[in-house]
Amino acid sequence: MCSEYEQQIGYTEYCKVMQDLALGIPTHQTELDMPSANEIKTGDMAPVIRAAGDHILELTQMKFGFPQTRTRGPVFNLRSKGKHFGDSHRCLVPASAFFEHTRRKYPKAKHRFTLVRAPLMAIAAIWQPSQKGQPAAFTMLTTEPGPDVEPFHNRQIAVLHPIDWQAWIDLTKPEEELLRPLPVGSLRVETR
């Protein structure tokens, strides 16, 4: 399952997308809040978008993956099917691409997925506040694979088009409408 993604969108482009969507940008945000990274993996700190007041979204750094416990490792993906997130802290993970790997033995094939007709995607996620000296953390939500991902994996992360970002944060649309696979041709794949 997706435990790696990239974030290559510059802060200026991010601000343009947010302005085009009429989403507020806090005045204290700068390009330092949206660092680029070729690989963000479980355990890394990365930017997420969360609510910061009345229809204002802010970027903040969180750790990718809920902390591990004695019985399980970090939770970096969470199945959304059959769950409700009305009482959860919802956020968005900005990304320029996500990766899936195939083959059981090394070297594994690495498949890079990007959103067609948009330079920036957001992955539906939930977050939890810092606890026991650990930073705030997020986990990505998954759904059944869409037709673009199904040849590579039996699940996929819940990718949201920019028009649905605020709807996820405020939960103004039904969860099953937001947390579903994208239609065929929505994602472009490149194998490395």
Side-chain angles (χ1 to χ4, degrees):
M1 195 66 250
C2 182
S3 61
E4 179 183 355
Y5 66 99
E6 76 174 30
Q7 197 305 101
Q8 291 295 331
I9 303 304
Y11 183 71
T12 302
E13 192 167 7
Y14 165 79
C15 289
K16 182 179 179 339
V17 170
M18 298 299 275
Q19 289 168 345
D20 289 348
L21 294 169
L23 300 174
I25 301 170
T27 56
H28 68 276
Q29 302 273 215
T30 70
E31 62 277 350
L32 297 176
D33 295 304
M34 189 75 161
S36 63
N38 290 330
E39 295 178 341
I40 299 172
K41 296 181 177 185
T42 306
D44 290 346
M45 295 296 288
V48 298
I49 304 166
R50 69 175 180 187
D54 292 334
H55 301 290
I56 295 194
L57 302 179
E58 70 175 354
L59 287 167
T60 190
Q61 295 287 315
M62 291 187 192
K63 189 173 183 177
F64 179 20
F66 289 165
Q68 65 184 37
T69 64
R70 284 187 240 191
T71 58
R72 63 174 166 78
V75 177
F76 54 89
N77 291 150
L78 182 67
R79 288 179 186 247
S80 63
K81 187 174 182 176
K83 294 183 175 72
H84 298 285
F85 300 98
D87 292 332
S88 299
H89 299 290
R90 293 171 304 283
C91 64
L92 302 163
V93 179
S96 51
F98 67 91
F99 300 96
E100 291 294 352
H101 297 85
T102 54
R103 291 193 208 129
R104 293 192 184 274
K105 296 183 180 181
Y106 288 94
K108 291 185 176 189
K110 187 174 185 177
H111 310 283
R112 180 178 181 265
F113 292 87
T114 55
L115 194 58
V116 174
R117 292 184 292 279
L120 175 64
M121 69 174 80
I123 301 158
I126 57 172
W127 66 276
Q128 54 185 217
S130 61
Q131 47 188 324
K132 298 180 183 175
Q134 294 289 316
F138 69 93
T139 187
M140 297 182 202
L141 301 181
T142 67
T143 185
E144 298 301 316
D148 298 330
V149 176
E150 191 171 33
F152 306 94
H153 208 285
N154 63 354
R155 306 231 15 99
Q156 80 168 61
I157 53 174
V159 177
L160 300 172
H161 278 287
I163 162 171
D164 288 326
W165 292 2
Q166 189 75 52
W168 171 245
I169 295 293
D170 295 339
L171 213 51
T172 56
K173 289 185 180 178
E175 292 163 280
E176 57 275 2
E177 185 180 323
L178 295 167
L179 304 175
R180 63 180 178 184
L182 297 174
V184 66
S186 297
L187 295 168
R188 181 180 307 113
V189 64
E190 164 194 339
T191 301
R192 296 180 171 185

